[in-house]
Amino acid sequence: YNPAILSVYLQLPSNLDPRILTKAKQVTANAQTMYDKAVALENYLRTNYSYSVTVQPPSTAEPTAWLLFQSKHGAYCNYFTSAMAVMARELGMPARVVVGYTNGTYDSKTQISTVRASDAHAWTQIYFAGYGWINFEPSPGFPSFAHPVPANDKTMPTA
């Protein structure tokens, strides 16, 4: 790994809730490679939580701990992507949150796609040496990304 990537994309707050690391280890306990761990984190968030834009965490709550342990399993993309990035970093995997837009709505009559502010979205990227940044979609209800990494690639590094 490039040391510059590690120094930036493994940073975490010093006062992070220790239950986050415990949960990340629990979720990835059966994963063999770093890629398998990333997929396990992604699947955990996609299948154990629901997407909701009407969340109101306490103003003093740390967002990742709130999502994982107090949210009643509902939040929106910023929470899911941040949680996956934090959990990945806790496991020693370089991770970042990416913000952009979904495809919007396509009008076949005009052949124009309309992208609105409501189409804003966030997802997680994990860095894999030799592959670069790979997209992951931890938000429930959104289509998963196709991954260029073969699931059975034994050359993938372990975390």
Side-chain angles (χ1 to χ4, degrees):
Y1 282 101
N2 179 331
I5 288 176
L6 296 178
S7 70
V8 172
Y9 296 104
L10 288 178
Q11 291 181 32
L12 290 166
S14 60
N15 61 344
L16 205 56
D17 188 323
R19 296 177 299 167
I20 297 170
L21 175 58
T22 301
K23 177 58 79 177
K25 287 180 177 179
Q26 175 191 15
V27 168
T28 61
N30 296 322
Q32 299 296 312
T33 67
M34 201 171 118
Y35 176 77
D36 295 338
K37 290 175 191 285
V39 170
L41 292 172
E42 176 187 48
N43 287 338
Y44 174 76
L45 292 166
R46 290 178 64 81
T47 59
N48 289 285
Y49 295 82
S50 60
Y51 196 89
S52 173
V53 294
T54 57
V55 297
Q56 295 183 343
S59 61
T60 59
E62 189 282 313
T64 297
W66 175 82
L67 171 67
L68 295 174
F69 309 113
Q70 298 160 332
S71 69
K72 299 184 181 167
H73 293 254
Y76 51 89
C77 60
N78 296 27
Y79 287 92
F80 294 115
T81 59
S82 296
M84 183 171 175
V86 168
M87 293 170 83
R89 287 180 180 198
E90 284 273 44
L91 297 171
M93 301 162 55
R96 66 186 182 189
V97 171
V98 179
V99 180
Y101 293 87
T102 61
N103 295 335
T105 305
Y106 181 72
D107 184 338
S108 60
K109 291 179 185 176
T110 62
Q111 297 184 340
I112 295 174
S113 288
T114 302
V115 180
R116 295 183 167 82
S118 61
D119 294 316
H121 190 56
W123 57 96
T124 307
Q125 289 183 333
I126 308 262
Y127 186 83
F128 295 92
Y131 291 92
W133 292 102
I134 305 295
N135 294 323
F136 290 88
E137 178 55 81
S139 297
F142 286 83
S144 295
F145 288 102
H147 294 144
V149 180
N152 61 356
D153 186 348
K154 299 303 180 200
T155 65
M156 289 301 297
T158 57

